[in-house]
Amino acid sequence: GNRYFFLRDEFNDAQKNRWKNSITSLLLTFGGTDQNNLSKKLYIAIKDLCKKNNVSINIVTGPGYKYYEQLCDTIKNDYNTVLTRSTGVISSIMEKCQIAIISNGRTVYELAHMNIPALIISHHERETTHNFSSEKNGFIPIGIYKKGYTEKIVRKELNTLILDKYKRKRL
């Protein structure tokens, strides 16, 4: 948990997020396997909102992500999206981002260290017990993924964070 979490060495020299009035870059990542294919589902849900607001999307997938080729086809014509697979150094991608959409695992602690607020979507019931991902710690917990509902809430919350710099600053 957060009281005893050790960051990986790559974060020792990483540049923490410095406040910007606007969001220019977003991180989208759901762990090494992303068994629910949330990378693709949430990318589709936010891509138009991000384009409209000139926010680039950095998608990072892990080595066990079995939908990688499908996701490549989905983003192939989107100029504002970068897809990275099995990065050994996610901190270098985090350094470029002002906000994230992630699952409720280790990455939450890494983003807290980097001063990056995030929308948190749990893969399963056990992840919902990770209570560090709360607004007081800079995160907006969305809960377990529910088709249609989660996409709607994520678009709403992301739009708020893009437009309301004061709320983002509080996080």
Side-chain angles (χ1 to χ4, degrees), residues 53-72:
N53 290 284
N54 296 313
V55 175
S56 64
I57 302 170
N58 296 280
I59 304 172
V60 177
T61 66
Y65 180 61
K66 63 184 178 183
Y67 308 101
Y68 183 78
E69 296 303 323
Q70 189 183 98
L71 185 56
C72 285

Side-chain angles (χ1 to χ4, degrees), residues 6-164:
F6 292 97
L7 286 168
R8 290 176 289 156
D9 288 345
E10 72 175 277
F11 287 92
N12 290 340
D13 298 319
Q15 297 295 311
K16 293 181 180 181
N17 184 30
R18 293 208 170 141
W19 175 254
K20 285 178 136 180
N21 281 327
S22 61
I23 295 173
T24 58
S25 188
L26 174 145
L27 171 65
L28 184 71
T29 188
F30 291 97
T33 59
D34 185 7
Q35 65 269 24
N36 298 309
N37 200 14
L38 297 180
S39 297
K40 181 181 177 193
K41 293 172 184 175
L42 273 295
Y43 168 73
I44 290 168
I46 66 166
K47 70 178 184 170
D48 292 337
L49 177 62
C50 288
K51 281 181 187 175
K52 175 183 162 190
N53 290 284
N54 296 313
V55 175
S56 64
I57 302 170
N58 296 280
I59 304 172
V60 177
T61 66
Y65 180 61
K66 63 184 178 183
Y67 308 101
Y68 183 78
E69 296 303 323
Q70 189 183 98
L71 185 56
C72 285
D73 288 342
T74 302
I75 69 157
K76 68 181 171 189
N77 296 321
D78 293 340
Y79 65 89
N80 71 325
T81 302
V82 176
L83 175 59
T84 304
R85 184 178 204 176
S86 303
T87 181
V89 187
I90 198 168
S91 61
S92 64
I93 296 170
M94 289 178 181
E95 288 176 330
K96 304 171 194 172
C97 298
Q98 295 82 45
I99 194 162
I101 302 172
I102 65 168
S103 55
N104 201 3
R106 174 181 70 199
T107 308
V108 172
Y109 300 120
E110 295 168 348
L111 288 175
H113 173 77
M114 297 293 287
N115 298 324
I116 300 172
L119 305 176
I120 309 297
I121 301 160
S122 296
H123 277 292
H124 45 72
E125 193 68 39
R126 184 180 50 80
E127 276 192 358
T128 64
T129 67
H130 301 171
N131 296 324
F132 182 76
S133 56
S134 65
E135 286 202 33
K136 77 175 185 157
N137 291 323
F139 304 102
I140 298 173
I142 306 296
I144 296 175
Y145 176 80
K146 295 179 186 111
K147 184 178 179 181
Y149 173 79
T150 299
E151 290 89 345
K152 179 180 172 184
I153 297 301
V154 166
R155 277 191 300 270
K156 176 183 172 273
E157 293 291 346
L158 179 59
N159 189 59
T160 298
L161 292 177
I162 289 171
L163 299 177
D164 186 349

